[in-house]
Amino acid sequence: MIDLKKLEVWFITGSQDLYGPEVLKTVGNHSQEMANFLNNSAKVPVKVVFKSVMRSLDEVTNICIEANAARQCIGIITWCHTFSPSKMWINGLKILNKPMLQLHTQYNRDLPWGEIDMDFMNLNQAAHGDREHGFILSRLRKSRKIVVGYWKEDDVQERIGIWSRVAAAWYDMQGAKIARFGDNMREVAVTEGDKVEAQIKLGLSVNTWPVGDIVKVVNEVSETEVDKIVQEYNDLYLIADAGKKGGAKHDNVRYQARIEAGFKKFLEAGNFKAFTTTFEDLHGLKQLPGLASQRLMAAGYGFGAEGDWKHAALVRAIKVMSIGLKGGCTFMEDYTYHLDPKGMKVLGAHMLEICPSIADGKAKLEVHPLGIGGKDDPARLVFNVATGPATLTSMIDMGNRFRVLVHDVDCVKPDADLPKLPVARAMWVPQPDMKTGAAAWILTGGAHHNAFSQAITAEYIEDFSDIAGIEFVHINKDTSITNLKKELQWNEIYYMLAKGL
Ligand code: MN
């Protein structure tokens, strides 16, 4: 997908000339040591590069200009070892357009109780230096993540790691191209949205290509290319007898391999990072891209069904955030419920298009009729999902802003086998409970689609919305409908007023 170790986060330390060259040299050495430590941390997947100790307005302004221009720089971490008067930071911070993290730490973890003197006090001033720094950032309304604690602490490395993963996804999104094959599903509201505003706020471009163009590429795929992909199916999945070579539905399986190869060629040629399809516009395709969409998601592409480009963008972003982490990410839909008061739960699925990155064990490859769309029976992967925590993320267009909402859910085992259900599925219980959780999602206007992940937590999406400057709503174990109503009302006012801030 992308190589996170090629991306850099710049570590910049605030100070001033007041303390003399000896202290500044120590500040520089300590900063280098801390940046090296974070760079080598298994929890921080990007490169952490110490730049320099800031002593003046010109130095701050120059480093911010440099950070803005450096393509590989995906964000900056600032820390004030000593005091660093903030007026010298104003001009630089005003123009800085990269994500920012304010690290509130101290070179030494413990007070040297028996040794502490005024030299020590003058060198180790982050406790008030970072407050001066924090003031100007807040005065400038500069969005940033604040991480507090000793720099070697696991939790601190973890928080920095999460932010750097989100910064990488933000970097990936800038200039990202999303291809739509066909428009939104007719008459559906939530999959619509302002694509111009999305490019302004999120940096991604969303455009449509004629289905005929992709059909041409699909039809030109050679039988040898199809053979190669079918061999991969054999290696990776349990293929039902009818889908095996010589079986009644083998050609249907081969056709999905053909779709996969054709779509991949088209997406690679156009340098696209995500795509959408719609079952209402498949002219010339014999099947809905089921297995093909599943496999392309597993290869790192964002995907949205029914023309849902916002969730295609989210799936891609979460895939980048979670590179190398346990757990996958997929396009998902709240499909149907089990409403027994003794154990209410949601069955999540889609017509076909669920990414096997979330599969618990080996997926089964099956061919069944779709019952919608009037096409040939499509091949698809069928699987269950591991139990444990997951997040559902949705992005909607509120008319005057984008809102991102995250719902914490717990994946559970189905109460019984589902032998006749021919699609990949997940079962979950929403937090804080089924009734409150579903009411909260509906009140917030969350889509029936979401980006499901067992790799990321709500913290990732909170960092993402801070960087993007869009609304964030988190439905979790503490959610109450009464408080959520107020939060949404306050947000309405905030986002109207914020346009003037
Ligand atoms: Mn759908």
PDB file of all heavy atoms in Angstrom, residues 306 333 350 448-449, ligand 1:
ATOM      1  N   GLU A 306     -22.827   0.897  -3.968  1.00  0.00           N
ATOM      2  CA  GLU A 306     -23.903   1.850  -4.270  1.00  0.00           C
ATOM      3  C   GLU A 306     -23.390   3.285  -4.428  1.00  0.00           C
ATOM      4  O   GLU A 306     -24.052   4.248  -4.043  1.00  0.00           O
ATOM      5  CB  GLU A 306     -24.980   1.783  -3.168  1.00  0.00           C
ATOM      6  CG  GLU A 306     -25.745   0.472  -3.189  1.00  0.00           C
ATOM      7  CD  GLU A 306     -25.639  -0.273  -1.844  1.00  0.00           C
ATOM      8  OE1 GLU A 306     -25.591   0.396  -0.809  1.00  0.00           O
ATOM      9  OE2 GLU A 306     -25.601  -1.512  -1.862  1.00  0.00           O
ATOM     10  N   GLU A 333     -22.143  -2.927   6.509  1.00  0.00           N
ATOM     11  CA  GLU A 333     -23.497  -2.384   6.605  1.00  0.00           C
ATOM     12  C   GLU A 333     -24.213  -3.065   7.768  1.00  0.00           C
ATOM     13  O   GLU A 333     -24.122  -4.281   7.926  1.00  0.00           O
ATOM     14  CB  GLU A 333     -24.238  -2.672   5.290  1.00  0.00           C
ATOM     15  CG  GLU A 333     -25.639  -2.126   5.210  1.00  0.00           C
ATOM     16  CD  GLU A 333     -26.176  -2.220   3.774  1.00  0.00           C
ATOM     17  OE1 GLU A 333     -26.710  -3.275   3.397  1.00  0.00           O
ATOM     18  OE2 GLU A 333     -26.026  -1.252   3.029  1.00  0.00           O
ATOM     19  N   HIS A 350     -22.916  -7.322   3.787  1.00  0.00           N
ATOM     20  CA  HIS A 350     -23.379  -6.532   2.650  1.00  0.00           C
ATOM     21  C   HIS A 350     -23.879  -7.515   1.624  1.00  0.00           C
ATOM     22  O   HIS A 350     -23.895  -8.728   1.898  1.00  0.00           O
ATOM     23  CB  HIS A 350     -22.284  -5.603   2.100  1.00  0.00           C
ATOM     24  CG  HIS A 350     -22.874  -4.442   1.368  1.00  0.00           C
ATOM     25  ND1 HIS A 350     -22.919  -4.370   0.004  1.00  0.00           N
ATOM     26  CD2 HIS A 350     -23.497  -3.341   1.829  1.00  0.00           C
ATOM     27  CE1 HIS A 350     -23.542  -3.253  -0.338  1.00  0.00           C
ATOM     28  NE2 HIS A 350     -23.902  -2.607   0.744  1.00  0.00           N
ATOM     29  N   HIS A 448     -26.154   3.899   6.834  1.00  0.00           N
ATOM     30  CA  HIS A 448     -26.347   2.458   7.004  1.00  0.00           C
ATOM     31  C   HIS A 448     -25.065   1.720   6.618  1.00  0.00           C
ATOM     32  O   HIS A 448     -24.921   0.547   6.906  1.00  0.00           O
ATOM     33  CB  HIS A 448     -27.545   1.960   6.196  1.00  0.00           C
ATOM     34  CG  HIS A 448     -27.490   2.317   4.730  1.00  0.00           C
ATOM     35  ND1 HIS A 448     -27.889   3.538   4.248  1.00  0.00           N
ATOM     36  CD2 HIS A 448     -27.069   1.619   3.674  1.00  0.00           C
ATOM     37  CE1 HIS A 448     -27.713   3.572   2.946  1.00  0.00           C
ATOM     38  NE2 HIS A 448     -27.209   2.422   2.553  1.00  0.00           N
ATOM     39  N   HIS A 449     -24.154   2.422   5.962  1.00  0.00           N
ATOM     40  CA  HIS A 449     -22.821   1.883   5.668  1.00  0.00           C
ATOM     41  C   HIS A 449     -21.841   2.352   6.736  1.00  0.00           C
ATOM     42  O   HIS A 449     -22.037   3.394   7.351  1.00  0.00           O
ATOM     43  CB  HIS A 449     -22.307   2.388   4.312  1.00  0.00           C
ATOM     44  CG  HIS A 449     -23.048   1.822   3.150  1.00  0.00           C
ATOM     45  ND1 HIS A 449     -23.064   2.426   1.911  1.00  0.00           N
ATOM     46  CD2 HIS A 449     -23.809   0.708   3.014  1.00  0.00           C
ATOM     47  CE1 HIS A 449     -23.780   1.705   1.067  1.00  0.00           C
ATOM     48  NE2 HIS A 449     -24.252   0.657   1.717  1.00  0.00           N
TER      49      HIS A 449
HETATM   50 MN    MN B   1     -25.382  -0.956   0.941  1.00  0.00          MN
END
